[in-house]
Amino acid sequence: MDNIIKGTPPQPGEYKCTRCDAQFNYKCGALFCPSCGNRRHDELVPIFVKEQKEEELMKTEADFPGG
């Protein structure tokens, strides 16, 4: 999950606040901890983010080099 690109909007999924240890689901809008109000994205860690099907469809064999 460390491959989230800085400056991109957060993806829907389950997150954990490292400030208060709360876990919460995020769907859309501003990402913040509903327990403590923390808005620092570096302290709101994605636990589970389902891969977007649209992104998966855009990938080709060239995106998966190797043997």
Side-chain angles (χ1 to χ4, degrees):
M1 290 291 171
D2 292 333
N3 60 351
I4 296 189
I5 300 170
K6 192 171 188 148
T8 60
Q11 297 295 316
E14 188 174 344
Y15 286 76
K16 181 173 183 170
C17 176
T18 58
R19 186 179 290 176
C20 72
D21 285 332
Q23 290 186 7
F24 59 94
N25 287 317
Y26 167 77
K27 292 184 182 180
C28 63
L31 178 63
F32 68 94
C33 176
S35 181
C36 71
N38 183 10
R39 294 183 180 272
R40 291 191 52 155
H41 286 211
D42 60 333
E43 294 180 350
L44 301 172
V45 181
I47 296 173
F48 175 77
V49 174
K50 186 175 180 179
E51 187 170 330
Q52 298 294 319
K53 190 69 174 169
E54 296 84 14
E55 181 180 337
E56 190 176 308
L57 292 172
M58 291 178 6
K59 295 180 181 176
T60 66
E61 289 183 19
D63 294 315
F64 303 98

